[in-house]
Amino acid sequence: MRLPSLVLTALVSALPVSGFAAERLNHTISVLESGGAAFGIFSGDRSPSNARRLARSDLDYVFIDMEHGPYDAESLQQFLFAMTDKAAIAKTGSLTMNTTPIVRLPINGREMNQALVKQVLDLGVYGVMFPMINNREQAEFAIASARFPQARGAADFAPAGLRGRAPGNAVWYWGTSYSDYLAKADVWPLDPAGEILAVIQIESPEAVANVEEIITTPGVGAIFIGPSDLSANMGLPASDPEVEAAIQTVLKSCITHNIACGITTNARNVEERTRQGFRFVTVGGDGGITPGTADALAKGRKAAGR
């Protein structure tokens, strides 16, 4: 008997986690945790067809851009469900998505709004990118907004979680039990078993000057340099040596503290950036897996030994 798709989805979600491979749900964290380099794109196209293409691509993650694209929770939820590949789940016996969905929020360090963080996490995304973080206080607030309150006396109590508990959609999307979701929905590597990646963007001279205190904030999973905004905020063209020096300052600090550092790349410079030590790079933007994106991805993977 052929079952309706909604019934199949319910059955998949109802299966016990123990029935699947004992591996991380967040593929990108797995790559970074092993010391590898992760490759992704920025995307503002939330169509189901784009979601399907990205879900079966060789990309490790997709930044769903709600900073420069509209903040629309409804279209985000539709995009996330369109990324669900039931055939892959049936074939591999794993709930881990091939391409990790991460949302870049519209708010930045000067205007943090924890409600938006809570909303996208409650829909089931596996990571949040926080733009324009300039100091440790802003970084701590970003991390706190992505965490549930921790048990009294927990070793990883700080930054104290601010996220309210109503993750019904996320529990359904992850395919876990409610209690298992609460246990896994924490920021990595502060919680070694956490499945949420908090990505902090450094895009200003102030942030570069404060890079050490930002990077050492507990819960920061990756740093991403915004070269366009960084150069604009420095009042210099992107090609100016002073901009590259600032980029290298951030990269050096990331390498010292074993935090993955990201930056935008293309087919012309992805190999060089990967060899420099960048382990969390984008290789394209809107348009899905274009020939240029595919070329950059292949070159980056080769340079990273993947």
Side-chain angles (χ1 to χ4, degrees):
M1 180 178 68
R2 184 179 180 183
L3 297 175
S5 59
L6 287 178
V7 175
L8 284 172
T9 302
L11 288 173
V12 169
S13 296
L15 287 171
V17 175
S18 59
F20 292 95
E23 58 187 342
R24 278 200 172 276
L25 295 176
N26 191 320
H27 165 69
T28 300
I29 289 179
S30 293
V31 174
L32 298 180
E33 194 170 37
S34 68
F39 299 91
I41 67 169
F42 279 102
S43 182
D45 179 357
R46 295 178 211 157
S47 66
S49 58
N50 188 46
R52 292 195 300 270
R53 285 193 297 268
L54 293 175
R56 291 193 172 181
S57 73
D58 287 331
L59 296 168
D60 297 301
Y61 63 89
V62 54
F63 286 136
I64 304 163
D65 193 2
M66 299 177 81
E67 179 191 18
H68 294 292
Y71 179 86
D72 184 346
E74 191 78 23
S75 67
L76 171 62
Q77 185 170 38
Q78 293 171 1
F79 184 86
L80 292 175
F81 275 102
M83 285 190 73
T84 302
D85 189 344
K86 289 186 287 184
I89 294 173
K91 181 179 179 180
T92 65
S94 171
L95 289 169
T96 305
M97 299 179 69
N98 187 55
T99 305
T100 308
I102 301 171
V103 165
R104 177 161 73 170
L105 292 171
I107 53 178
N108 63 33
R110 298 186 300 270
E111 52 191 18
M112 291 301 297
N113 185 335
Q114 69 191 68
L116 299 188
V117 183
K118 174 174 60 179
Q119 284 187 355
V120 298
L121 288 174
D122 282 352
L123 290 180
V125 300
Y126 288 90
V128 179
M129 174 184 264
F130 297 90
M132 205 70 70
I133 297 295
N134 291 322
N135 54 51
R136 188 182 182 94
E137 180 183 10
Q138 293 171 3
E140 286 180 340
F141 189 86
I143 300 303
S145 67
R147 306 188 76 196
F148 289 121
Q150 303 299 296
R152 185 181 301 178
D156 61 351
F157 184 85
L162 299 173
R163 181 183 172 191
R165 283 193 182 184
N169 285 317
V171 170
W172 175 272
Y173 189 65
W174 282 26
T176 67
S177 67
Y178 182 83
S179 60
D180 197 47
Y181 178 82
L182 294 182
K184 294 177 182 294
D186 200 3
V187 292
W188 171 88
L190 177 57
D191 182 342
E195 297 284 4
I196 291 175
L197 186 65
V199 183
I200 301 298
Q201 279 202 272
I202 287 183
E203 305 176 272
S204 71
E206 180 184 355
V208 175
N210 294 328
V211 64
E212 285 288 315
E213 64 181 53
I214 292 172
I215 284 180
T216 55
T217 300
V220 172
I223 294 292
F224 198 92
I225 301 168
S228 180
D229 277 314
L230 177 59
S231 62
N233 286 322
M234 292 177 70
L236 297 168
S239 58
D240 192 284
E242 191 174 332
V243 175
E244 183 60 28
I247 290 172
Q248 293 301 320
T249 295
V250 176
L251 174 62
K252 181 179 179 181
S253 184
C254 285
I255 293 173
T256 298
H257 295 284
N258 195 29
I259 295 291
C261 193
I263 196 168
T264 55
T265 72
N266 52 48
R268 296 185 301 276
N269 65 3
V270 63
E271 293 169 296
E272 178 185 7
R273 287 302 195 192
T274 303
R275 285 193 292 266
Q276 287 175 351
F278 286 95
R279 297 197 295 121
F280 191 59
V281 306
T282 57
V283 292
D286 274 330
I289 311 301
T290 64
T293 295
D295 186 24
L297 177 58
K299 289 178 177 177
R301 281 180 174 270
K302 183 178 180 181
R306 289 186 61 194

